[in-house]
Amino acid sequence: MQNNFNGTKIYNQIHTTYGGELSSFDFDGHYTMATMAKKIFHDHLFDNQCKRNLELKCNNIKRI
């Protein structure tokens, strides 16, 4: 009998986005789809704002 080994690669997660804040409200089970979508959308907007701020900062450093 031949032994098969399904190796797994090391998973390196890149933390480049905010991901959101956890609160007790997240675990109470009273979320609607609209509430979840709003939370995800606002976290995405925060990520985009941080990206724009970093780009502006890098552009200002290059000009100096």
Side-chain angles (χ1 to χ4, degrees):
M1 179 181 215
Q2 189 176 22
N3 290 334
N4 292 329
F5 176 74
N6 293 330
T8 58
K9 294 181 181 179
I10 296 173
Y11 179 68
N12 292 325
Q13 188 170 1
I14 301 171
H15 299 282
T16 57
T17 59
Y18 173 57
E21 229 177 83
L22 288 177
S23 65
S24 60
F25 184 70
D26 295 328
F27 300 101
D28 68 2
H30 298 289
Y31 263 133
T32 63
M33 292 300 282
T35 308
M36 287 188 278
K38 283 180 186 177
K39 186 171 180 178
I40 292 168
F41 181 71
H42 287 290
D43 293 342
H44 183 70
L45 288 177
F46 179 78
D47 288 339
N48 286 340
Q49 184 63 47
C50 290
K51 182 179 177 181
R52 280 182 274 174
N53 291 345
L54 182 62
E55 289 171 353
L56 289 172
K57 183 179 178 181
C58 289
N59 286 339
N60 287 336
I61 290 173
K62 289 179 184 177
R63 289 180 185 167
I64 293 176

